[in-house]
Amino acid sequence: MNSLDWAVLIGYFGVMVAIGAWSHRRVADVGDFFTAGGRMPWWLSGISHHMSGYSAVMFTGYAGIAYQYGITSYVTWSFPIAVGIAIGARLFAGRLNRLRSRLGVASPLEYLKDRYNLSTQQALAWSGVLLKIVDVGAKWAAIATLLTVFTGISLNQGILLTGVITGIYCTVGGLWADALTELGQFVIQLLAGVAMVVTVLGELGGVSGLWTLWDRLPAGHAQPTAGPYTVTFLLAYLFIKTFEYSGGMWNQAQRYMATRTAREARRSALLSAALWFVWPVVLFFPMWAAPLLVTSGKPDASDAYALLSERLLPHGLLGLVVVGFFSHTMAMCSSDANAISAVFTRDIAPAVSARARAWSHRAGLVAARLSTVCFLALSMAIATQVDSPAFKDIITVVIKWVAGLVGPVSIPFLLGMVPLFRRSGPTAALVSWAAGLVAFWLTNYGLAGVQLQVQIVAPVATSLVLFVLLGLVRPEPSAARDALLARINDVDHGADVDDGDDGADGADGGAEGGSARPAALPDGS
């Protein structure tokens, strides 16, 4: 990188901070900070949902998979995510929106106290927070690895730089800042991605390179599944990503909650699914062609895309591509920070502190911002250890830890909204959560020689089976729980058309007491 590339990068950071400052004026309370007051347009929610779903790990870990195995990087990663989001658009997006618009909550997990009990809510909240600290730590390490390749600064310096910039804009501007910066980041990535494809095609002899390169690539690069990424892995990944990207990772749930209506939430989900079908193909193409143009210096080929960019792109465009790397990571990490802050201030803190239950509007907003900073700091500290024996490498953290642990957290949360599972109560939720964690430990650390697909699917499958089975053999009926489910699922009130303002009022009103509580539940409604 030269001075022109640095100017592009610094200018990008400046714009992100400016967006955060502008968004600050739109944040009056925790309802605005965590769910944009229920006023986010569906198209912005959809783009934000898409951008917050992947990070610079795509340009390191998944770039290595593309370099080594070819198109399986798309078939076994972004394709199942797209299908999973499309499924979630039907099953979960509208229901997640009604959590805000009908129940007046500002955190995805607030409804769990009434759906199950306080113990269940706290178990899911604490375990989810700890998981996201590790997950986001891996994202910081990924972008710092790329920054090291381009600039020569150390891994820890790269982590500090990206973390501080992200912390500034997402702390002051909340979800509005996240969504608006993600919109800008999408535009930047669009320009950078297209520029990279055009440059690579030029090296391959023109547009004909789209179909002539496959005969020159290593054998198997055109196979949809290869290496450890088998058909079984694909199906397992689809199973997991349906839960993860439909709201199991709480930052995705917030995007649906932030739209005005359930109908708009579903539209935003379908837009995100469409982007996942199309856009990763553009990003992956240069990675598929990389073996013809560069030689990776790492065993996992995680440096392939960075080496390709350095070799092919002129200064200025190189800076734009580096900005694209940052855009994905900062989008995901800032959205995760906001989601975790919501869970801490709305679910965890009120359960352990009487003072937190009496927070004023101002005190609740200050707590939200402080918890955001603390989460970012902890995840940055974890990032410095991502290559330690405990975590091994970036892609291991992302695939094994996140895919393996998201199930036990998301199954009771998401399925708890669906009337079909109304018989599954607190016992089913807690047992399925605990058993899923045990399954993760056994398949990853307790047993030797377990296949990758088994490692990632066993925890979520265990949680799902036990959640459903215990609901059948040990049902825990409750009239209050049925009434709660009726409010989340009833679409006959007209609220799916014009209930956006009600949700903002509900979230704001709940801020005074530290935890937005549902209004009195009407009998049988």
Side-chain angles (χ1 to χ4, degrees), residues 143-213:
I143 190 59
T145 298
L146 290 171
L147 194 60
T148 298
V149 173
F150 286 112
T151 67
I153 68 174
S154 70
L155 181 72
N156 289 349
Q157 289 171 331
I159 292 168
L160 180 64
L161 175 64
T162 53
V164 169
I165 297 296
T166 304
I168 292 173
Y169 80 76
C170 76
T171 300
V172 299
L175 192 65
W176 273 117
D178 289 346
L180 291 172
T181 53
E182 284 158 0
L183 175 61
Q185 289 156 358
F186 178 74
V187 173
I188 290 169
Q189 188 53 249
L190 179 66
L191 297 173
V194 170
M196 192 66 174
V197 168
V198 171
T199 304
V200 169
L201 285 176
E203 291 289 315
L204 297 175
V207 177
S208 62
L210 288 171
W211 54 85
T212 61
L213 84 161

Side-chain angles (χ1 to χ4, degrees), residues 54-146:
Y54 56 107
S55 68
V57 171
M58 179 172 183
F59 302 101
T60 53
Y62 285 105
I65 295 173
Y67 183 92
Q68 294 173 304
Y69 299 110
I71 67 171
T72 191
S73 59
Y74 171 82
V75 174
T76 62
W77 179 61
S78 57
F79 174 74
I81 290 175
V83 174
I85 295 173
I87 294 171
R90 178 68 178 86
L91 290 178
F92 303 119
R95 291 181 170 98
L96 286 166
N97 181 269
R98 295 188 198 104
L99 292 183
R100 174 196 58 77
S101 62
R102 301 280 179 84
L103 306 184
V105 303
S107 159
L109 301 192
E110 280 188 75
Y111 97 103
L112 293 178
K113 183 176 178 181
D114 295 292
R115 173 58 178 87
Y116 301 110
N117 55 26
L118 180 62
S119 298
T120 303
Q121 181 200 45
Q122 293 301 297
L124 298 181
W126 280 101
S127 56
V129 167
L130 294 175
L131 169 61
K132 290 309 296 183
I133 290 175
V134 175
D135 178 32
V136 173
K139 306 303 191 302
W140 292 136
I143 190 59
T145 298
L146 290 171

Side-chain angles (χ1 to χ4, degrees), residues 51-385:
M51 285 296 293
S52 64
Y54 56 107
S55 68
V57 171
M58 179 172 183
F59 302 101
T60 53
Y62 285 105
I65 295 173
Y67 183 92
Q68 294 173 304
Y69 299 110
I71 67 171
T72 191
S73 59
Y74 171 82
V75 174
T76 62
W77 179 61
S78 57
F79 174 74
I81 290 175
V83 174
I85 295 173
I87 294 171
R90 178 68 178 86
L91 290 178
F92 303 119
R95 291 181 170 98
L96 286 166
N97 181 269
R98 295 188 198 104
L99 292 183
R100 174 196 58 77
S101 62
R102 301 280 179 84
L103 306 184
V105 303
S107 159
L109 301 192
E110 280 188 75
Y111 97 103
L112 293 178
K113 183 176 178 181
D114 295 292
R115 173 58 178 87
Y116 301 110
N117 55 26
L118 180 62
S119 298
T120 303
Q121 181 200 45
Q122 293 301 297
L124 298 181
W126 280 101
S127 56
V129 167
L130 294 175
L131 169 61
K132 290 309 296 183
I133 290 175
V134 175
D135 178 32
V136 173
K139 306 303 191 302
W140 292 136
I143 190 59
T145 298
L146 290 171
L147 194 60
T148 298
V149 173
F150 286 112
T151 67
I153 68 174
S154 70
L155 181 72
N156 289 349
Q157 289 171 331
I159 292 168
L160 180 64
L161 175 64
T162 53
V164 169
I165 297 296
T166 304
I168 292 173
Y169 80 76
C170 76
T171 300
V172 299
L175 192 65
W176 273 117
D178 289 346
L180 291 172
T181 53
E182 284 158 0
L183 175 61
Q185 289 156 358
F186 178 74
V187 173
I188 290 169
Q189 188 53 249
L190 179 66
L191 297 173
V194 170
M196 192 66 174
V197 168
V198 171
T199 304
V200 169
L201 285 176
E203 291 289 315
L204 297 175
V207 177
S208 62
L210 288 171
W211 54 85
T212 61
L213 84 161
W214 304 104
D215 291 336
R216 292 179 281 164
L217 287 169
H221 253 57
Q223 296 298 317
T225 58
Y229 308 103
T230 62
V231 173
T232 305
F233 177 92
L234 168 62
L235 296 175
Y237 212 62
L238 171 61
F239 180 52
I240 292 165
K241 294 304 174 181
T242 299
F243 289 102
E244 179 181 345
Y245 279 74
S246 295
M249 285 299 190
W250 306 325
N251 60 314
Q252 309 285 11
Q254 283 182 301
R255 271 63 188 167
Y256 300 147
M257 293 172 68
T259 59
R260 292 182 180 275
T261 68
R263 181 179 300 171
E264 290 195 2
R266 289 190 289 270
R267 292 176 71 186
S268 74
L270 292 174
L271 173 59
S272 180
L275 290 172
W276 275 102
F277 271 119
V278 176
W279 182 238
V281 175
V282 178
L283 296 180
F284 270 130
F285 179 77
M287 305 177 197
W288 297 333
L292 302 177
L293 303 172
V294 296
T295 301
S296 172
K298 291 189 174 183
D300 61 357
S302 60
D303 60 346
Y305 196 83
L307 294 173
L308 190 67
S309 301
E310 278 197 316
R311 178 192 161 185
L312 299 182
L313 295 179
H315 293 294
L317 273 182
L318 178 61
L320 187 64
V321 168
V322 175
V323 164
F325 297 156
F326 276 98
S327 69
H328 282 299
T329 298
M330 295 172 76
M332 175 171 278
C333 294
S334 62
S335 65
D336 280 334
N338 187 273
I340 295 304
S341 176
V343 171
F344 178 79
T345 58
R346 309 291 290 181
D347 304 315
I348 294 176
V352 299
S353 170
R355 179 177 297 181
R357 291 192 289 273
W359 276 337
S360 64
H361 285 293
R362 178 176 176 80
L365 193 54
V366 170
R369 288 179 167 137
L370 287 176
S371 59
T372 301
V373 171
C374 291
F375 169 77
L376 290 173
L378 286 171
S379 64
M380 289 160 63
I382 290 291
T384 64
Q385 305 300 314

Side-chain angles (χ1 to χ4, degrees), residues 40 323 377 394:
M40 188 176 292
V323 164
I394 294 169

